[in-house]
């Protein structure tokens, strides 16, 4: 079965409740389903759930309970999800992220709604077969 890109869920991991509310509203208004985790532990529970079907993860790097990089590592270790695009949301410089292992994109804070939606759409379309549908499903 082929799926349209927006049928895939976006995992949003951010401990800033106000920022997360805005991001969820933007994504939902653009047609995306959103799973939200406000802590690294909540994100780990979502990632380890076999029913989870995430298409892309938006992860804040600086979290109150731990680093968002723990979430990146958890995703990369989960066979079902290891190939999904991960977008790190961060105020740190790209050069500070260069030594990290793993494939990820980053969205530099502060970002605007167009940058956010373009990043998510672009990440999902990397998994598409060119028609806006996911190949192999």
């Amino acid at each position: 079965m082929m799926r349209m890109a927006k049928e895939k869920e976006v995992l949003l991991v951010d401990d800033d409740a106000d920022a997360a509310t805005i991001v969820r509203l933007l994504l939902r208004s653009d047609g995306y389903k959103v799973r939200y985790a406000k802590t690294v532990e909540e994100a780990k529970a979502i990632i380890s759930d076999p029913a989870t079907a995430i298409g892309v993860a938006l992860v804040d790097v600086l979290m109150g309970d731990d680093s968002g990089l723990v979430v990146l590592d958890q995703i990369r270790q989960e066979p079902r999800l290891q190939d999904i695009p991960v977008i790190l949301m961060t105020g740190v410089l790209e050069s500070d992220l260069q030594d990290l292992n793993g494939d990820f994109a980053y969205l530099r804070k502060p970002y605007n709604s167009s940058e956010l939606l373009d990043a998510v759409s672009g990440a999902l379309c990397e998994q598409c077969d060119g028609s806006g549908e996911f190949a192999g499903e």
Side-chain angles (χ1 to χ4, degrees):
M1 176 180 154
M2 303 288 273
R3 289 183 183 222
M4 293 304 293
K6 289 187 180 179
E7 290 180 9
K8 289 282 190 173
E9 285 186 319
V10 176
L11 172 61
L12 171 63
V13 184
D14 195 335
D15 62 339
D16 182 336
D18 293 334
T21 297
I22 293 167
V23 170
R24 284 188 308 221
L25 289 171
L26 283 168
L27 291 170
R28 287 180 179 151
S29 71
D30 206 47
Y32 294 101
K33 297 176 189 174
V34 181
R35 297 275 311 261
Y36 172 58
K38 66 181 174 225
T39 67
V40 169
E41 288 306 312
E42 286 179 14
K44 289 165 85 173
I46 291 169
I47 293 162
S48 63
D49 180 354
T52 297
I54 301 166
V56 62
L58 281 167
V59 181
D60 186 20
V61 173
L62 300 176
M63 300 278 294
D65 65 329
D66 207 338
S67 170
L69 300 178
V70 172
V71 176
L72 173 64
D73 288 340
Q74 181 84 19
I75 289 170
R76 294 300 178 237
Q77 292 173 22
E78 178 60 49
R80 294 174 299 101
L81 303 173
Q82 65 187 7
D83 295 326
I84 69 163
V86 175
I87 301 168
L88 298 177
M89 301 179 295
T90 181
V92 302
L93 299 174
E94 179 183 10
S95 60
D96 294 335
L97 301 175
Q98 287 179 344
D99 293 333
L100 296 177
N101 291 328
D103 186 24
F104 62 88
Y106 80 98
L107 189 58
R108 179 96 190 262
K109 292 179 178 181
Y111 51 81
N112 63 40
S113 59
S114 295
E115 291 168 329
L116 171 70
L117 295 174
D118 288 348
V120 171
S121 175
L124 287 169
C125 280
E126 287 178 11
Q127 296 178 320
C128 293
D129 64 5
S131 67
E133 297 183 351
F134 286 91
E137 291 193 10

